[in-house]
Amino acid sequence: MPMPEKGTDWESLKQEMLARAGNDVKWREGKTAVYVFNAGPDVERVQKEAYTLFMSENGLGPMAFPSLKKMEDEVVAMGLSLLHAPEGAAGNITSGGTDSITMAMKAARDYARSAKGAKGTLNIVIPWSAHPAFDKAAKVMEIEVRRIPVRDYLADVEAMGKAADGKTIMIVGSAPCFPYGLIDPIGELGKLAEARGLWLHVDACVGGYIAPFARMNGGDVPPFDFEVRGVSSMSADLHKYGYCAKGASTVLFRSEALRTHMIFDCDDWPGGRMITPTLAGTRPGGAIAAAWAVMNFLGVEGYRAKHKQVTDAREKIAAGVEALGFRVVGNPQLGIIAFTHDEIDCMAVWGKLFERGWFTSLTTVPAGLHLMLSPFHLQVADTYLADIAWAVEQVKAGMTGAAREARYS
Ligand SMILES: *Cc1c(COP(=O)(O)O)cnc(C)c1O
């Protein structure tokens, strides 16, 4: 498709874009439980206005834009403080979880090379439930990935200890993992890391900005962050349960000395010395500004209130689906829940829910339904339960052939 010779006026373009969006999921109506975190119109407005205020500014230039540097420093400081980081801890805003994980792995690798003289093919040891971002980063850096089967859906610390060797640059626990929404035994992983001198990364991409508040609200959240002494680094996404605009995550290190291994510094080209902490060159000022604005707009009280709605929705849905004969995977404490059924095909249930406008995710092992809940879901939890009850009836009827007969009679 060639570029149009002449430009089109903005009003027409806007109308066309809105028309195209008509085919997208209607996430504002609450029937989408993946991809989008819907904290309501007040937060959306702050994201949008803060983003546009700094949309053209570039986080690559802290001297030109001290405003962005200060906002980044404050966002990172808030993240570190929420996640019990000690004095002297450090971090950066990245473009997302994949970026944070990639940069933490780069830091761990360079640390292993410089501090421990690591050579040859290095590896990471991760639970089977860890996010594919680790494999992507490993692919780029030619690092071997050792995915270790989970035990009761959680990281198997003993097996991970056996899999780790002198070439292991990092072991990983998730808080929580995306498929099950369960927090790995970070305390035990921390002990393993300390005993063996291993770099433990906690992937709190989806949990880092909900778990601290769920705990303040009285949730049964085990120690999962820098409070665990063996934790060297963490990834925590602002654009997930931080309710910030997309394109924002934090990568955090126990000390500035560890963070130093992440930083890229290049002088050998005609443009002068270029120092970049993260994978990006140009860094969107809007994403940094929106993160700063949303965090200050909500504050601890705001996050606690929003996350209370999330965990209430999760509890309500858990009880409801259990009453329908589903089995919740493990004991989820945050915003993700997965559930399976011993007799009914969950994929078929998913299909029926899709017919009713629900766009949600799935798990493969066990075959189950997956929900990543937002505050808004509390308002539609009853609708979801009514629809899944209907879906189960439909699937059951189909299993006996009755539905097919009814359709063709
Ligand atoms: C979302 C997620 C990631 C990846 O983050 P992106 O922002 O999508 O790149 C990594 N780990 C976990 C546990 C996640 O939920």
Side-chain angles (χ1 to χ4, degrees), residues 301-324:
E301 278 182 12
Y303 278 110
R304 283 184 64 172
K306 296 279 181 206
H307 291 328
K308 172 105 179 30
Q309 294 172 28
V310 173
T311 51
D312 283 357
R314 191 204 71 235
E315 282 172 16
K316 188 169 188 174
I317 288 173
V321 297
E322 275 174 348
L324 291 172

Side-chain angles (χ1 to χ4, degrees), residues 43-327:
V43 173
E44 194 187 347
R45 175 167 171 231
V46 173
Q47 286 177 352
K48 246 179 213 169
E49 291 194 14
Y51 201 105
T52 34
L53 276 181
F54 284 85
M55 197 179 56
S56 306
E57 281 70 12
N58 189 342
L60 176 61
M63 276 176 68
F65 305 110
S67 57
L68 288 177
K69 166 86 174 97
K70 190 149 190 272
M71 285 190 267
E72 177 178 13
D73 287 348
E74 290 181 15
V75 166
V76 167
M78 285 187 264
L80 290 170
S81 126
L82 284 169
L83 297 169
H84 297 103
E87 201 63 40
N92 280 98
I93 293 184
T94 70
S95 66
T98 302
D99 191 347
S100 290
I101 286 167
T102 302
M103 296 319 290
M105 272 173 64
K106 190 251 181 211
R109 184 200 61 185
D110 289 2
Y111 168 79
R113 281 180 179 163
S114 72
K116 298 172 153 187
K119 282 191 184 60
T121 304
L122 307 173
N123 68 72
I124 59 171
V125 175
I126 70 177
W128 190 59
S129 54
H131 195 277
F134 290 96
D135 303 70
K136 188 189 277 188
K139 194 105 187 163
V140 174
M141 287 184 262
E142 297 190 346
I143 286 167
E144 177 197 341
V145 180
R146 299 183 177 167
R147 275 188 182 262
I148 310 303
V150 288
R151 179 192 283 209
D152 294 334
Y153 307 111
L154 297 173
D156 183 340
V157 181
E158 205 187 309
M160 286 177 67
K162 285 192 184 129
D165 58 23
K167 304 268 189 201
T168 301
I169 58 158
M170 177 186 270
I171 61 171
V172 172
S174 307
C177 68
F178 186 80
Y180 308 129
L182 303 175
I183 300 176
D184 284 326
I186 305 299
E188 285 173 55
L189 285 167
K191 281 187 203 139
L192 170 66
E194 281 193 292
R196 302 266 301 273
L198 294 163
W199 178 304
L200 170 59
H201 178 84
V202 173
D203 180 13
C205 275
V206 77
Y209 292 102
I210 178 170
F213 304 103
R215 189 191 257 176
M216 289 176 208
N217 285 342
D220 180 20
V221 177
F224 70 96
D225 57 20
F226 289 108
E227 180 183 4
V228 175
R229 275 207 322 261
V231 175
S232 289
S233 60
M234 294 186 71
S235 43
D237 291 352
L238 297 158
H239 63 200
K240 289 185 182 159
Y241 284 108
Y243 302 129
C244 302
K246 285 196 172 55
S249 168
T250 46
V251 59
L252 308 168
F253 298 88
R254 178 168 290 276
S255 68
E256 174 59 24
L258 294 184
R259 190 189 77 103
T260 308
H261 293 283
M262 169 172 74
I263 294 162
F264 182 75
D265 183 347
C266 180
D267 209 2
D268 187 17
W269 77 311
R273 188 168 177 196
M274 185 155 162
I275 304 174
T276 49
T278 62
L279 202 54
T282 294
R283 301 168 76 204
I288 296 169
W292 184 88
V294 170
M295 285 175 119
N296 284 291
F297 175 72
L298 286 173
V300 170
E301 278 182 12
Y303 278 110
R304 283 184 64 172
K306 296 279 181 206
H307 291 328
K308 172 105 179 30
Q309 294 172 28
V310 173
T311 51
D312 283 357
R314 191 204 71 235
E315 282 172 16
K316 188 169 188 174
I317 288 173
V321 297
E322 275 174 348
L324 291 172
F326 288 93
R327 189 160 43 80

Side-chain angles (χ1 to χ4, degrees), residues 11 13 79 204 209 246 302 317-318 344 368 372:
E11 259 326 301
L13 292 173
Y209 292 102
K246 285 196 172 55
I317 288 173
I344 296 173
M372 187 183 82

Side-chain angles (χ1 to χ4, degrees), residues 25 32-37 178 239-240 246 359-361 372:
V25 290
T32 304
V34 61
Y35 301 130
V36 178
F37 296 79
F178 186 80
H239 63 200
K240 289 185 182 159
K246 285 196 172 55
F359 199 101
T360 64
S361 196
M372 187 183 82

